[in-house]
Amino acid sequence: EYLMRHFATESGKSKGQFYTPAEVSRIMAKIIGINAKDSTSETSVYDPTCGSGSLLLKVAAEAEKLISVFGQENDSATAGLARMNMILHNNPTAVIRQGNTLSNPLFTDANSRLKTFDFVVANPPFSFKSWSNGVNIPEEQQEGGRFYSYGVPPAKNGDYAFLLHIIKSLKSRGKAAVILPHGVLFRGNAEAEIRQNLIRKGIVKGIIGLPANLFYGTGIPACLIVLDKENAESRKGVFMMDAGKG
C-alpha cells in the first residue's frame, strides 16, 4: 500500500493515473455492497481500467475470501505491476489483461459479447481525449452495442464511454461504483442526452460529490457514480450526497 502510494507520488502526473487513494477505494468497496456473508468463489469483480490493481484489492478484501477478480489495463508496465500486486496480496487467481478496454475489450464470451460481472469498480482516466481511436462506433450503436439506447459520447471526451462500457459489463443484478470528473453531472449536448437516458432507465442509484485535490496529478473535483441494475426499472429517484467538504 505504502509503496504504491509512494510510487504514484514520486512519478508525478505520468503514473498518478494508476493509483486510487485507499480511502476512496475503501468507500467504493463498501457502497457496492460486497460482503463476506454473500460472497463465494464465483462472485466476480471487474475493473476495466485497473491500473496497479489497488481498487480491485480493496473490493476483494471486503469479501474476506478468494473471489474471482478481473482487470484490464492499457499500460503494459502498469499491468505487470497489477499482476505482481495481486500475487503479493494473496490473490494469485486474479486475471489481469493488457490492452485498451474501449477499442479492444479482452473479457468476452464465446460470441465476442462483453463478459458480465457481479461488481464493477473503476477510476478511468478523466476526460480521455482519444477514447474513440479504434472503436467501431456504428457497431456500438446497434443492438447489443455499448452505446445502444444511450447515445454516443462526444468525440473528445471519454468519460461516458467508460461509464457505458461498465453498464454493459454488469450482470442483470450487478452493481458498480465509478469515479468520474464532476463535469459528467452537468455538461450539455451528447452527454446531457446520455445522462437523461441513464436516469430514465433507473440504473443510477446514487451520486456522491467528492472533495477537490483527492487524486494524484489533478485538482479536478470528482464524483462517485453508483450504479445498480437490480430493480432499476422501478427506481424512482437518485440518491445525491455532497461529500465535497470532507
Side-chain angles (χ1 to χ4, degrees):
E1 178 74 53
Y2 168 74
L3 274 173
M4 288 295 162
R5 188 168 67 236
H6 184 68
F7 188 41
T9 316
E10 285 301 300
S11 332
K13 289 188 168 66
S14 66
K15 285 283 180 237
Q17 70 263 20
F18 72 71
Y19 181 80
T20 304
E23 300 79 3
V24 183
S25 300
R26 204 162 24 241
I27 287 170
M28 291 169 77
K30 289 195 182 297
I31 59 176
I32 55 173
I34 193 163
N35 57 53
K37 185 167 66 77
D38 303 321
S39 299
T40 70
S41 59
E42 298 297 301
T43 303
S44 58
V45 59
Y46 164 64
D47 184 341
T49 55
C50 74
S52 62
S54 58
L55 186 47
L56 279 171
L57 284 168
K58 278 286 183 292
V59 177
E62 282 295 313
E64 292 179 24
K65 57 186 74 154
L66 213 54
I67 57 170
S68 301
V69 174
F70 304 89
Q72 183 163 337
E73 168 55 40
N74 197 23
D75 183 83
S76 58
T78 307
L81 201 58
R83 289 189 189 106
M84 187 172 73
N85 213 3
M86 293 297 151
I87 292 163
L88 289 174
H89 289 85
N90 302 321
N91 268 280
T93 57
V95 182
I96 307 292
R97 296 195 172 136
Q98 191 251 316
N100 183 318
T101 295
L102 295 178
S103 60
N104 183 25
L106 295 171
F107 291 99
T108 52
D109 64 15
N111 303 312
S112 301
R113 283 191 298 250
L114 289 189
K115 191 169 155 58
T116 56
F117 305 90
D118 298 306
F119 298 99
V120 181
V121 285
N123 180 7
F126 286 1
S127 306
F128 187 50
K129 299 245 178 301
S130 54
W131 72 267
S132 60
N133 286 1
V135 177
N136 185 335
I137 290 173
E139 200 172 276
E140 296 294 352
Q141 286 176 280
Q142 289 167 17
E143 194 166 350
R146 290 174 286 189
F147 309 148
Y148 176 73
S149 81
Y150 294 108
V152 179
K156 294 272 183 276
N157 198 319
D159 293 329
Y160 275 99
F162 286 110
L163 192 65
L164 295 178
H165 172 85
I166 287 161
I167 289 167
K168 196 80 195 152
S169 303
L170 280 174
K171 287 187 178 174
S172 61
R173 298 172 63 189
K175 291 151 182 52
V178 191
I179 300 167
L180 288 171
H182 253 183
V184 298
L185 306 179
F186 51 79
R187 289 190 300 243
N189 305 323
E191 291 182 307
E193 187 190 323
I194 296 171
R195 197 162 53 238
Q196 209 168 13
N197 290 331
L198 285 175
I199 301 295
R200 283 208 181 109
K201 286 227 185 322
I203 291 170
V204 180
K205 188 179 195 175
I207 292 164
I208 303 171
L210 298 171
N213 299 312
L214 208 51
F215 301 96
Y216 293 99
T218 177
I220 296 171
C223 59
L224 257 177
I225 311 281
V226 184
L227 306 168
D228 190 352
K229 279 192 177 174
E230 191 174 4
N231 302 323
E233 60 292 331
S234 56
R235 189 161 285 128
K236 292 286 182 282
V238 178
F239 181 85
M240 298 186 88
M241 179 174 168
D242 179 7
K245 299 285 183 285

